[in-house]
Amino acid sequence: MRSMRTLHAEWTKFRTVRGWVLGCVGAALATVLFVLIGTVSSNQHPGGAAALPVGPGGEAVDDSYSFVHRTLTGDGSLTVQVTALTGVLSDPNGGPGRTSPGVTPWAKAGIIVTPSLTPGSSYVAVTATGAHGVRMQDDYVHDRAADLTGVPSPATPQWLRLVRAGRNVTGYDSTEGTHWTEIGTASVPGGAVQAGLFVTSPAAVQTDGGGGSSPATATGTFGRPALTGAWQGGWAYAQVGQDAGASGSYVPGTTGGYRANGDGAGVGFSITGAGDIAPVVGGPAGGPAFTVETFLVGTFVGLIVLGVLAAQFAAAEYRRGLLGLTLAATPKRGRVLGAKAVLVAAVAFVVGAGAAAVTLPLGEARAHAVHFAVLTVPAAEQLRAVLGTGLLLAAAAVLALSLGVLLRRSATAITALVAVTVLPYLLALGGMLPTGPAQWLLRLTPAAGFAVQQALPRYEQVLSVYTPANGYFPLPPWGGFAVLAGWALAALAAAAFVLRRRDA
């Protein structure tokens, strides 16, 4: 009961100071306006930007590949021998037109089952890769390693098989086409599906220095496909995701296509393709797209404003000589500090979560208006980013309050807050530090808390530059928030200890 009275007294004190209330409103407005100004200044992307396809799970995906296919109307199987996976890479340092032979690590040549040729459709595939052996992948985000390693060649071919039974599709691999090893099972929607041979190749990513990428084209050589079950029609060729295929994915001078090898009936196929079948991530391979983090970048402005308010809420007691009266009315000093901490945390959470909830749809609408693509993430990830923004500002406000008690002067406390939160954030994500020091800053300082807003995906089957300069935190979202919360709780405990000693 006393705790509630103390909390009510602190709330009354807070809301009666008009500048503090207006400051909270200003923090929310600054957070939102910062994003609107940023998107306006981005200008219209030349020629516009096509919307990124969205996969079955709600995530943005790449879906571009060369496909030789037939229609499978019911249960059935597709078996093929892959005898080569080769390619051409652009030389980013060799000038225009310079190329070299080779394949990217996640270049793919394999077999796939999908209900539609529309980018973003569900699928199940078994594929040889440029450096990761045989993999079974489905619906973009799921990836399983098979037993076969290496790159297929005439001397060491790789046999692949997909078997459809109802909605289930099971993948197999083999070294000689007789003894098969099951890789796994996934599902596709029922009804008629398109099944066949595909080839694609993501861009070559330079993981050293600042990163970057350059086009890459792959060619897969297949034996004659063996079919069982309810198949219709003959083999046909399609370029899935033509916009992506025509936008610079291919090495200059190369194009997607296929040719039949062997006799006139087509014993086998050689297929050339570029692009990827995978979730979109940030970094060089992500292309021009706004992300959740882009829309929430104004959070650090709100953090500074709320930090100023929290520090003043603590330091004003000393500056105005009110602490003695407060403690006379409520002798439990820890209770007073606890009430202040609960109050500033609650206010900051409401401001932060509310501003984020407004900023995300507003920023997305503005991004579409200026013809920039938006990197879509599942609704659960967006909700976590919204609530995480509230928690981020709540913890930062408690830290600012504690610094105000420890340092007594709000200006000194605010300077300390900016030095340990905002400054490391800007140095690390602004690319002003090498990757190693930037990652350590985001592991050890309160700036790690910004990771709770992280929505950029990271996948083992997508090669990119996963560094702070490209928007990636070294800690998972809740791990980063735990670092900030630890700092805030430690500072609060120190403030309670000092307060008891100082005013005893």
Side-chain angles (χ1 to χ4, degrees):
M1 198 64 163
R2 288 183 179 179
S3 297
M4 292 302 298
R5 284 200 298 267
T6 304
L7 182 59
H8 182 267
E10 293 301 321
W11 165 242
T12 301
K13 187 185 304 180
F14 184 88
R15 66 184 175 83
T16 53
V17 179
R18 181 178 299 179
W20 291 345
V21 176
L22 293 177
C24 292
V25 176
L29 291 177
T31 302
V32 175
L33 291 176
F34 192 90
V35 171
L36 292 182
I37 294 171
T39 53
V40 168
S41 64
S42 298
N43 297 321
Q44 180 170 330
H45 186 60
L52 296 172
V54 177
E59 61 285 308
V61 299
D62 282 324
D63 197 8
S64 178
Y65 55 98
S66 294
F67 191 23
V68 175
H69 60 99
R70 293 178 65 173
T71 301
L72 177 61
T73 59
D75 294 347
S77 69
L78 167 62
T79 303
V80 73
Q81 181 189 43
V82 185
T83 58
L85 175 56
T86 58
V88 179
L89 306 175
S90 290
D91 185 351
N93 300 315
R98 292 289 299 272
T99 63
S100 60
V103 292
T104 60
W106 285 105
K108 303 177 181 76
I111 53 180
I112 188 171
V113 173
T114 179
S116 171
L117 302 186
T118 302
S121 299
S122 177
Y123 75 93
V124 180
V126 174
T127 179
T129 66
H132 298 281
V134 171
R135 318 290 291 202
M136 181 173 177
Q137 300 179 341
D138 65 279
D139 287 355
Y140 308 95
V141 300
H142 305 297
D143 171 69
R144 303 178 183 90
D147 291 336
L148 294 185
T149 60
V151 180
S153 68
T156 57
Q158 295 175 347
W159 291 78
L160 311 177
R161 173 177 288 174
L162 286 174
V163 178
R164 184 193 189 197
R167 295 174 60 90
N168 293 327
V169 179
T170 304
Y172 301 85
D173 66 355
S174 172
T175 57
E176 77 302 296
T178 302
H179 300 90
W180 295 89
T181 300
E182 180 177 331
I183 306 170
T185 299
S187 62
V188 293
V193 296
Q194 298 302 309
L197 321 177
F198 79 97
V199 173
T200 190
S201 177
V205 175
Q206 286 76 52
T207 57
D208 296 332
S213 62
S214 55
T217 303
T219 298
T221 304
F222 301 85
R224 183 174 184 175
L227 310 177
T228 66
W231 295 82
Q232 288 184 351
W235 293 106
Y237 173 78
Q239 169 64 55
V240 177
Q242 292 187 11
D243 289 341
S247 65
S249 297
Y250 286 93
V251 173
T254 66
T255 57
Y258 84 106
R259 73 171 186 272
N261 300 324
D263 58 31
V267 172
F269 297 96
S270 291
I271 305 172
T272 298
D276 206 358
I277 311 176
V280 173
V281 301
F290 282 134
T291 65
V292 168
E293 290 85 347
T294 305
F295 302 140
L296 297 179
V297 71
T299 300
F300 77 87
V301 179
L303 185 151
I304 294 174
V305 176
L306 290 172
V308 170
L309 298 179
Q312 288 181 343
F313 191 44
E317 300 272 13
Y318 292 98
R319 187 174 67 252
R320 299 177 181 179
L322 298 177
L323 188 60
L325 295 176
T326 299
L327 295 179
T330 309
K332 298 288 188 180
R333 295 171 175 83
R335 183 178 297 163
V336 174
L337 183 60
K340 289 180 180 293
V342 170
L343 177 60
V344 298
V347 170
F349 176 82
V350 171
V351 171
V358 172
T359 298
L360 287 186
L362 200 60
E364 184 172 345
R366 183 57 194 163
H368 290 311
V370 297
H371 301 286
F372 263 76
V374 175
L375 188 59
T376 309
V377 298
E381 289 293 299
Q382 295 190 44
L383 178 61
R384 191 256 302 148
V386 168
L387 297 179
T389 299
L391 292 172
L392 165 65
L393 294 187
V398 172
L399 178 58
L401 175 79
S402 304
L403 291 173
V405 172
L406 291 169
L407 302 174
R408 293 196 179 192
R409 296 182 179 275
S410 58
T412 307
I414 294 162
T415 301
L417 177 70
V418 171
V420 298
T421 54
V422 177
L423 185 58
Y425 170 81
L426 295 177
L427 289 174
L429 274 75
M432 289 175 270
L433 293 175
T435 297
Q439 288 180 329
W440 280 111
L441 271 181
L442 296 178
R443 288 189 183 102
L444 300 178
T445 70
F450 284 95
V452 77
Q453 297 178 320
Q454 175 84 64
L456 282 173
R458 184 195 304 249
Y459 297 98
E460 293 298 326
Q461 71 270 28
V462 182
L463 182 62
S464 187
V465 184
Y466 297 107
T467 63
N470 285 306
Y472 286 93
F473 287 79
L475 296 176
W478 294 117
F481 174 73
V483 173
L484 171 60
W487 275 85
L489 291 175
L492 186 62
F497 175 78
V498 169
L499 188 61
R500 282 194 294 267
R501 288 177 58 88
R502 182 181 294 161
D503 300 302

